[in-house]
């Protein structure tokens, strides 16, 4: 970051350009180990020189960004859930009123579908509540046995191509839920093959299905998006929320041979070396 011996060196030479004249505000600096946020504090000395100390606020900044992203996603989901609940409740109310007015309980047979719709929304709200909180105490998790367990439990006839990922630092239960949702997404909308493996700074889950149009690759992570429109379904939006709770990034790309490839990055992977992005 700095010269080996910066004493006596002009500040403009000793410091990265972005820190020169930065004042006392946190400043974004690109270093060899990634982006850091530093705040300079200057102390004058009696001989007219000065000492500049730098406080590393990177983790604080990342935590604030995670809270802001989760708050945004929570507000968005609350609005969508309210809309999705209002419709079945209005239908229920209508049939119950008819049953009372006509004294004909046969109208109640029409309430099964809106009741199921409301149940799904409540189920999603509960799932969101369990997975939205910021992860504060992640732990080393063996990724590969978890993959095998999830695919065996969730996938139907899809075949699995699995390259070992190794150890990741995460909440075990929420990492499992993230993988479940990704595998379920392949099962419901993908093809016949599930591919899971490492990539620099994380892992990926891919399929050989029809893929996701480029214009939709960001919106699939939003709560009001659904390719089948049969229910609110958290699916990929919950994946994005779990990733954000860990401070990870998640993106959709096109697989080389066709299909979708969901990549999760920013993952701490101790003693895991990835030499090739598959």
């Amino acid at each position: 970051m700095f010269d080996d011996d910066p004493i006596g060196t002009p500040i403009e030479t000793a410091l990265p350009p972005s820190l020169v004249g930065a004042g006392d505000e946190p400043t974004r600096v690109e270093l060899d180990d990634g982006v850091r946020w530093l705040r300079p504090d200057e102390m004058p000395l009696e001989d007219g020189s000065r000492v500049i100390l730098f406080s590393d606020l990177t983790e604080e900044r990342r935590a604030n960004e995670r809270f802001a992203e989760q708050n945004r996603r929570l507000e968005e989901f609350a609005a969508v859930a309210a809309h999705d609940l209002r419709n079945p409740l209005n239908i229920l109310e209508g049939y119950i009123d008819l049953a009372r007015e006509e004294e004909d309980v046969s109208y109640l047979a029409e309430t099964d579908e809106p009741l199921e719709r409301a149940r799904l929304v409540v189920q999603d709200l509960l799932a969101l509540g369990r997975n939205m909180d910021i992860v504060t105490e992640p732990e080393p998790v063996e990724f590969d046995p978890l993959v095998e367990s999830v695919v065996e439990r969730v996938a139907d006839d899809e075949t699995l191509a699995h390259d070992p990922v190794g150890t990741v630092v995460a909440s075990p239960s929420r990492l499992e839920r993230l993988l479940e949702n990704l595998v379920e997404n392949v099962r419901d909308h993908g093809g016949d093959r599930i591919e899971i493996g490492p990539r620099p700074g994380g892992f990926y889950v891919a399929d050989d299905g029809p893929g996701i149009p480029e214009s939709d690759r960001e919106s699939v992570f939003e709560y009001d998006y659904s390719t089948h429109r049969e229910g609110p379904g958290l699916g990929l939006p919950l994946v994005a929320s779990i990733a954000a709770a860990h401070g990870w990034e998640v993106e959709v790309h096109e697989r080389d041979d066709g299909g979708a490839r969901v990549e999760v990055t920013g993952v701490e992977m101790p003693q895991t070396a990835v030499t090739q992005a598959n």
Side-chain angles (χ1 to χ4, degrees):
M1 172 178 170
F2 305 111
D3 294 341
D4 292 337
D5 185 9
I7 296 177
T9 304
I11 288 180
E12 292 77 9
T13 303
L15 298 181
S18 58
L19 287 179
V20 177
D24 57 0
E25 293 298 320
T27 302
R28 184 179 187 273
V29 183
E30 293 190 15
L31 304 177
D32 293 339
D33 62 347
V35 173
R36 312 295 294 180
W37 287 86
L38 304 178
R39 183 181 62 201
D41 294 301
E42 192 173 305
M43 297 191 312
L45 301 178
E46 292 181 357
D47 61 2
S49 60
R50 49 185 170 161
V51 174
I52 301 179
L53 303 176
F54 291 92
S55 301
D56 191 339
L57 304 179
T58 306
E59 293 307 316
E60 178 183 331
R61 181 91 180 196
R62 288 174 180 168
N64 289 339
E65 289 174 351
R66 278 187 282 171
F67 277 115
E69 172 63 11
Q70 291 296 59
N71 285 338
R72 182 192 71 80
R73 298 189 67 82
L74 181 59
E75 290 175 2
E76 177 186 276
F77 182 71
V80 173
H83 176 270
D84 283 346
L85 273 175
R86 188 177 299 114
N87 288 340
L89 290 178
N90 286 340
I91 294 172
L92 281 170
E93 184 178 23
Y95 281 120
I96 291 172
D97 286 344
L98 280 173
R100 286 171 175 165
E101 291 171 5
E102 303 292 335
E103 297 184 351
D104 184 354
V105 296
S106 65
Y107 284 109
L108 299 181
E110 303 298 329
T111 62
D112 290 346
E113 183 176 341
L115 277 172
E116 175 63 12
R117 172 80 176 190
R119 186 189 68 79
L120 288 173
V121 175
V122 172
Q123 177 180 301
D124 283 351
L125 282 168
L126 292 173
L128 178 69
R130 288 191 294 267
N131 291 280
M132 184 64 95
D133 289 344
I134 300 298
V135 175
T136 57
E137 296 183 356
E139 59 187 81
V141 180
E142 292 301 318
F143 186 91
D144 303 298
L146 197 58
V147 165
E148 301 288 345
S149 173
V150 166
V151 171
E152 182 179 355
R153 184 172 67 253
V154 175
D156 296 326
D157 299 324
E158 291 80 7
T159 60
L160 171 66
H162 176 205
D163 291 333
V165 173
T167 303
V168 303
V169 177
S171 160
S173 61
R174 283 195 260 181
L175 175 60
E176 182 176 15
R177 184 60 188 268
L178 181 146
L179 289 171
E180 285 178 352
N181 278 39
L182 288 177
V183 172
E184 286 173 351
N185 186 68
V186 174
R187 182 196 66 196
D188 296 339
H189 308 296
D192 301 320
R193 179 182 174 90
I194 301 170
E195 297 177 3
I196 300 177
R199 58 140 294 149
F203 56 89
Y204 71 90
V205 176
D207 63 69
D208 61 350
I212 298 174
E214 187 173 357
S215 59
D216 290 345
R217 289 178 191 167
E218 291 187 11
S219 57
V220 293
F221 295 113
E222 305 302 326
Y223 291 116
D224 60 352
Y225 181 91
S226 172
T227 56
H228 49 75
R229 304 295 178 185
E230 293 176 354
L234 290 182
L236 291 179
L238 183 54
V239 167
S241 288
I242 294 174
H246 284 86
W248 303 340
E249 299 288 337
V250 59
E251 295 179 336
V252 173
H253 299 278
E254 184 177 3
R255 183 173 165 270
D256 290 342
D257 296 331
R261 174 178 164 122
V262 179
E263 298 187 354
V264 180
T265 56
V267 182
E268 185 179 350
M269 306 172 72
Q271 299 178 347
T272 301
V274 179
T275 57
Q276 177 181 353
N278 295 284

